[in-house]
Amino acid sequence: MTCGILLVTHPGVGSALLEVATRLLRHLPLKTEAFDVPFDADLDALLPLASTALRRVDGGDGVLILTDLYGASPSNLAAQLARLGTPARRVAALSLPMLLRVMNYPEQGLDQLPATAAAGARNGAIVDDA
C-alpha cells in the first residue's frame, strides 16, 4: 500500500505541475491527481467532489494533500478534506521541486512525506549570484 497525492490548487497550477512532473519522470510512482479550485468557488459545494478525488488517489495509506498558497481557498478546502476521515496531511507552498521530491520517495508513509515535501520546496529555492 502507498500514499496518494492530491494537488488542491488555484486553477491550472496543479494540473500544470502534474503534467511537467509526468513528462520529467515518465511514470509517477504514486497515484496523483490535481483538483482545481475556481476563484469564485463555494467550498461547501466543492467538498463532495474534492472528497471523491481524495478517495480516488488513496492507495491505502492515506493522502498527502499539496496546496499552493496557505490560507487561500484551495488550502482551506484541503483543511476540510483532511478532517473527513481518510488519513490525510496538508502541505502548502506547492512547487515543482516539492512534487518531484515526493515522487522520489514513494516508499515513505504519511508520517514522513510531509517533511519530505517541505524539504523539496526549501531545497528547491536557490539564490544564484550569476
Side-chain angles (χ1 to χ4, degrees), residues 63-99:
V63 177
L64 179 64
I65 305 170
L66 302 177
T67 187
D68 53 357
L69 183 62
Y70 185 80
S73 293
S75 178
N76 295 336
L77 180 62
Q80 290 178 353
L81 284 172
R83 293 190 293 265
L84 289 180
T86 297
R89 297 283 306 275
R90 172 180 60 145
V91 178
L94 174 62
S95 65
L96 186 58
M98 176 191 284
L99 183 57

Side-chain angles (χ1 to χ4, degrees), residues 29-85:
L30 298 171
K31 192 182 286 189
T32 307
E33 189 171 317
F35 187 87
D36 287 352
V37 177
F39 289 104
D40 59 351
D42 174 352
L43 297 187
D44 291 331
L46 281 183
L47 188 58
L49 297 171
S51 176
T52 299
L54 183 84
R55 289 191 308 275
R56 273 196 305 267
V57 298
D58 185 8
D61 285 339
V63 177
L64 179 64
I65 305 170
L66 302 177
T67 187
D68 53 357
L69 183 62
Y70 185 80
S73 293
S75 178
N76 295 336
L77 180 62
Q80 290 178 353
L81 284 172
R83 293 190 293 265
L84 289 180

